[in-house]
Structures are given as structure tokens and as C-alpha cells.
Amino acid sequence: MKPELKTLIDEAELKETVAALAAEICEDYRDKDPLLVGLLKGSFVFMADLIRQLDIPVEVDFMAATSYVGRESTGELVVLKGLNESVHDRHVLIVEDIIDTGLTLHQIYDRLSTEGPASIEICTLIDKPARRQVEVPVKYVGREIPDLFIVGYGIDFDQKYRWLPYVGTID
Ligand code: 5GP
């Protein structure tokens, strides 16, 4: 049976949300030559739209990581694809699609923080604060949503639906 999709954030709203985030980021990072670190795979569509709304020079890199959740721990970070660039002395902005429990992002943030960045902040398109299990210092939030399972705009369900130009909820 095909799952039902309902639009939660349409294309026009996404465009406005991304433009508002880009305006804040431009203001804060002018003359800082920031390194935007996208977390794969979900952030690639958001990253592509975000950088095209910025009118400051930026560099972009991507990493892919997951956290292995064992019986007793909240998980050890497993880096599937590391960064090509060094974050040392760079103004790093982590770009995430959605923050849920915060478990993986928390560890990525800690890991990159130990590598000597000049500064490190987090930008997420979507935040689900109701599901948070660990504090993560998120500076830029596009939209807060309730505890819903979403897909689209880069975000998958079983590797599908990333291509949707809007964010929808799935049953
Ligand atoms: P967490 O914050 O729990 O460590 O994990 C965040 C990751 O979980 C996101 O990058 C995304 O891949 C996945 N995720 C969290 N919430 C949702 C959701 O509502 N829909 C989908 N498709 N993935 C989600």
C-alpha cells in the first residue's frame, strides 16, 4: 500500500524560511569566510538552496556519520565520510536538515569542537524540540515542528521521497 503524504511546509514557505536563515547567516558571517559543513545525506537540498541565497563567499564540505546505539550508551559516533577540509581556525557552520533526538549531532558538534575551529555553530532547517534527548546548541532554526515524521526536500523514508520539493508528513 502506498503511504499517504500530506504537505506540511510547501515550496513557497521553504523558500521564505531559507531566505530568512540566509539573511541572518550573511549578517553574522560577513568577512569570516565560513566553512559550511552539511550532514549527509539529508542536508544536501537545503545546503544547495541556502548557499544560493547567501551573498557572502563561503566554502562547503560534507560529512556523513551515524551513532551506534548500544545497550547502555547513547552511541559511539561512526564517521562514514569525513571532511575533506580542516576545520582548524575556521568559522564552522554545521548545516542539518532536521534535529530530532540530537544524539548524532551532539557528538558531531563535540568532535569538530575538539579540532580547533575559530567558532562553531549549528543551523537546522527543521527542529523537533519535543523529541530532544540531549542538549545541542542550535543557533539558527528554520522551522519548529511538533513530533511528526516528515519526508521531502532531501529528507528520506527508506531512501525515498528526497526528491519532493516540499516537506510532507507520512502515515
Ligand atoms: P537525531 O537528532 O535523532 O540524532 O537524528 C536526526 C536524523 O534523524 C536526521 O538527520 C534524519 O536523518 C532523521 N530524522 C529525524 N526525524 C525525522 C523525520 O521526521 N523524518 C525522517 N525522514 N527522518 C528523520
Short mmCIF file of all heavy atoms in Angstrom, two decimals, residues 96-105 128 148-151 155-157, ligand 1:
data_model
loop_
_atom_site.label_atom_id
_atom_site.label_comp_id
_atom_site.label_asym_id
_atom_site.label_seq_id
_atom_site.Cartn_x
_atom_site.Cartn_y
_atom_site.Cartn_z
N GLU A 96 22.23 21.18 9.04
CA GLU A 96 21.48 19.93 9.25
C GLU A 96 20.07 20.08 8.69
O GLU A 96 19.51 21.18 8.65
CB GLU A 96 21.47 19.65 10.77
CG GLU A 96 20.71 18.45 11.23
CD GLU A 96 21.24 17.09 10.77
OE1 GLU A 96 21.37 16.93 9.54
OE2 GLU A 96 21.47 16.22 11.61
N ASP A 97 19.50 18.96 8.26
CA ASP A 97 18.13 19.01 7.74
C ASP A 97 17.11 19.06 8.87
O ASP A 97 16.22 19.91 8.89
CB ASP A 97 17.85 17.80 6.81
CG ASP A 97 18.25 16.46 7.44
OD1 ASP A 97 18.86 16.46 8.53
OD2 ASP A 97 17.94 15.41 6.85
N ILE A 98 17.25 18.13 9.82
CA ILE A 98 16.27 18.06 10.91
C ILE A 98 16.96 17.57 12.18
O ILE A 98 17.80 16.67 12.12
CB ILE A 98 15.08 17.14 10.52
CG1 ILE A 98 14.08 17.05 11.66
CG2 ILE A 98 15.49 15.79 10.03
CD1 ILE A 98 12.74 16.45 11.26
N ILE A 99 16.63 18.18 13.29
CA ILE A 99 17.14 17.70 14.58
C ILE A 99 15.99 17.08 15.35
O ILE A 99 14.94 17.69 15.54
CB ILE A 99 17.79 18.81 15.42
CG1 ILE A 99 18.84 19.55 14.61
CG2 ILE A 99 18.43 18.21 16.68
CD1 ILE A 99 19.48 20.71 15.34
N ASP A 100 16.24 15.85 15.76
CA ASP A 100 15.23 15.05 16.42
C ASP A 100 15.71 14.81 17.86
O ASP A 100 15.59 15.70 18.71
CB ASP A 100 15.13 13.76 15.60
CG ASP A 100 13.98 12.86 15.99
OD1 ASP A 100 12.89 13.37 16.21
OD2 ASP A 100 14.19 11.64 16.05
N THR A 101 16.32 13.66 18.14
CA THR A 101 16.83 13.42 19.49
C THR A 101 18.07 14.28 19.77
O THR A 101 18.39 14.57 20.91
CB THR A 101 17.25 11.95 19.67
OG1 THR A 101 18.31 11.67 18.75
CG2 THR A 101 16.09 11.02 19.41
N GLY A 102 18.79 14.63 18.73
CA GLY A 102 20.03 15.41 18.89
C GLY A 102 21.25 14.54 19.17
O GLY A 102 22.36 15.05 19.26
N LEU A 103 21.06 13.23 19.25
CA LEU A 103 22.16 12.35 19.68
C LEU A 103 23.35 12.37 18.72
O LEU A 103 24.49 12.49 19.16
CB LEU A 103 21.65 10.91 19.86
CG LEU A 103 20.70 10.71 21.04
CD1 LEU A 103 20.07 9.32 21.02
CD2 LEU A 103 21.42 10.94 22.36
N THR A 104 23.08 12.26 17.44
CA THR A 104 24.18 12.22 16.47
C THR A 104 24.84 13.59 16.36
O THR A 104 26.06 13.73 16.42
CB THR A 104 23.66 11.76 15.08
OG1 THR A 104 22.87 10.60 15.26
CG2 THR A 104 24.80 11.47 14.14
N LEU A 105 24.01 14.59 16.22
CA LEU A 105 24.53 15.95 16.04
C LEU A 105 25.37 16.39 17.23
O LEU A 105 26.43 17.03 17.06
CB LEU A 105 23.34 16.91 15.83
CG LEU A 105 23.71 18.34 15.57
CD1 LEU A 105 24.61 18.47 14.34
CD2 LEU A 105 22.45 19.18 15.37
N LYS A 128 12.64 19.49 15.88
CA LYS A 128 11.55 18.82 16.60
C LYS A 128 11.92 18.82 18.08
O LYS A 128 12.38 17.79 18.60
CB LYS A 128 11.43 17.37 16.11
CG LYS A 128 10.67 17.21 14.83
CD LYS A 128 10.09 15.81 14.69
CE LYS A 128 11.07 14.83 14.12
NZ LYS A 128 10.49 13.55 13.70
N LEU A 148 6.25 14.93 14.41
CA LEU A 148 5.67 14.31 13.21
C LEU A 148 6.81 13.67 12.43
O LEU A 148 7.95 14.14 12.51
CB LEU A 148 5.04 15.38 12.32
CG LEU A 148 3.85 16.15 12.88
CD1 LEU A 148 3.57 17.37 12.01
CD2 LEU A 148 2.64 15.25 12.96
N PHE A 149 6.52 12.65 11.66
CA PHE A 149 7.53 12.05 10.80
C PHE A 149 7.41 12.68 9.41
O PHE A 149 6.38 12.58 8.75
CB PHE A 149 7.37 10.53 10.71
CG PHE A 149 8.54 9.88 10.03
CD1 PHE A 149 9.73 9.67 10.71
CD2 PHE A 149 8.47 9.53 8.69
CE1 PHE A 149 10.82 9.10 10.08
CE2 PHE A 149 9.56 8.96 8.04
CZ PHE A 149 10.74 8.74 8.74
N ILE A 150 8.46 13.35 9.00
CA ILE A 150 8.40 14.09 7.74
C ILE A 150 9.32 13.50 6.67
O ILE A 150 10.27 12.79 7.00
CB ILE A 150 8.75 15.57 7.95
CG1 ILE A 150 10.17 15.69 8.54
CG2 ILE A 150 7.73 16.28 8.83
CD1 ILE A 150 10.78 17.04 8.30
N VAL A 151 9.03 13.84 5.43
CA VAL A 151 9.90 13.47 4.30
C VAL A 151 9.92 14.62 3.30
O VAL A 151 9.09 15.54 3.37
CB VAL A 151 9.39 12.20 3.55
CG1 VAL A 151 9.52 10.96 4.39
CG2 VAL A 151 7.96 12.37 3.05
N ILE A 155 14.97 14.93 2.67
CA ILE A 155 14.78 14.02 3.81
C ILE A 155 14.03 12.77 3.33
O ILE A 155 13.00 12.88 2.66
CB ILE A 155 14.00 14.74 4.94
CG1 ILE A 155 14.77 16.01 5.36
CG2 ILE A 155 13.76 13.81 6.12
CD1 ILE A 155 13.96 16.95 6.24
N ASP A 156 14.58 11.61 3.70
CA ASP A 156 14.05 10.36 3.13
C ASP A 156 13.21 9.54 4.10
O ASP A 156 13.25 9.74 5.31
CB ASP A 156 15.21 9.47 2.69
CG ASP A 156 15.90 8.83 3.89
OD1 ASP A 156 16.27 9.57 4.81
OD2 ASP A 156 16.04 7.60 3.91
N PHE A 157 12.49 8.60 3.52
CA PHE A 157 11.99 7.45 4.27
C PHE A 157 12.46 6.25 3.48
O PHE A 157 12.09 6.09 2.31
CB PHE A 157 10.45 7.49 4.37
CG PHE A 157 9.87 6.21 4.92
CD1 PHE A 157 10.28 5.74 6.16
CD2 PHE A 157 8.95 5.48 4.21
CE1 PHE A 157 9.77 4.55 6.67
CE2 PHE A 157 8.43 4.29 4.71
CZ PHE A 157 8.85 3.83 5.94
P1 5GP B 1 18.90 12.76 15.76
O1 5GP B 1 18.63 14.22 16.00
O2 5GP B 1 17.84 11.90 16.41
O3 5GP B 1 20.29 12.30 16.08
O4 5GP B 1 18.77 12.39 14.24
C1 5GP B 1 18.47 13.27 13.26
C2 5GP B 1 18.35 12.47 11.99
O5 5GP B 1 17.26 11.54 12.10
C3 5GP B 1 18.01 13.38 10.83
O6 5GP B 1 19.17 13.85 10.19
C4 5GP B 1 17.17 12.45 9.96
O7 5GP B 1 18.02 11.70 9.13
C5 5GP B 1 16.49 11.52 10.94
N1 5GP B 1 15.13 12.01 11.25
C6 5GP B 1 14.73 12.63 12.37
N2 5GP B 1 13.42 12.97 12.30
C7 5GP B 1 12.99 12.55 11.09
C8 5GP B 1 11.74 12.64 10.42
O8 5GP B 1 10.72 13.18 10.89
N3 5GP B 1 11.69 12.08 9.18
C9 5GP B 1 12.76 11.48 8.60
N4 5GP B 1 12.58 11.00 7.38
N5 5GP B 1 13.96 11.40 9.20
C10 5GP B 1 14.08 11.93 10.44
#
